Amino acid sequence: MNRDEKYYDSHAQDVDLEKIASSEDNRELLRMLRSDSCWDSLHITDVYDSEVLDFVVRSRDDLGWLGYFIGKSTCLNSFTVDYLPEERERTNALFGGFTDRLASFALLLILGMII
């Protein structure tokens, strides 16, 4: 499903997390991102690790929403992507959501190298 930012903006507060996340842990991470709770980093992976804050990607996870909430977060300091699904549409949806945030990170990196 191809969605634009207007779609996400208009549905962000009422999207049913039960329908877009495969586990309670992933739903909790989406709740935290949606409410813009602050934490240091998020790890996107396919294997659970209790030592870090993981979003474990499974077939039922809507990665468009994950990308959107990452992109809108003002408190998430960093994130790593350790796993991407083979389905191109899901990967594109994830990256499409936080493209603006990646541009901001790139700008900060460039500015940091200049200063």
Side-chain angles (χ1 to χ4, degrees), residues 23 25-26 29 39 41-58 80 82-83:
S23 69
D25 289 335
N26 285 357
L29 287 172
W39 73 87
S41 66
L42 171 66
H43 186 212
I44 301 169
T45 186
D46 64 336
V47 179
Y48 178 76
D49 179 355
S50 62
E51 299 296 315
V52 295
L53 195 56
D54 285 336
F55 187 96
V56 180
V57 177
R58 298 179 183 94
T80 57
D82 193 39
Y83 171 81

Side-chain angles (χ1 to χ4, degrees), residues 29 31-42 53 68-79 101 105:
L29 287 172
R31 273 187 213 95
M32 292 169 65
L33 285 167
R34 179 168 60 184
S35 67
D36 210 17
S37 297
C38 295
W39 73 87
D40 191 42
S41 66
L42 171 66
L53 195 56
Y68 172 80
F69 289 130
I70 288 172
K72 291 296 181 182
S73 175
T74 62
C75 291
L76 181 62
N77 292 325
S78 67
F79 60 93
R101 185 166 176 107
F105 283 145

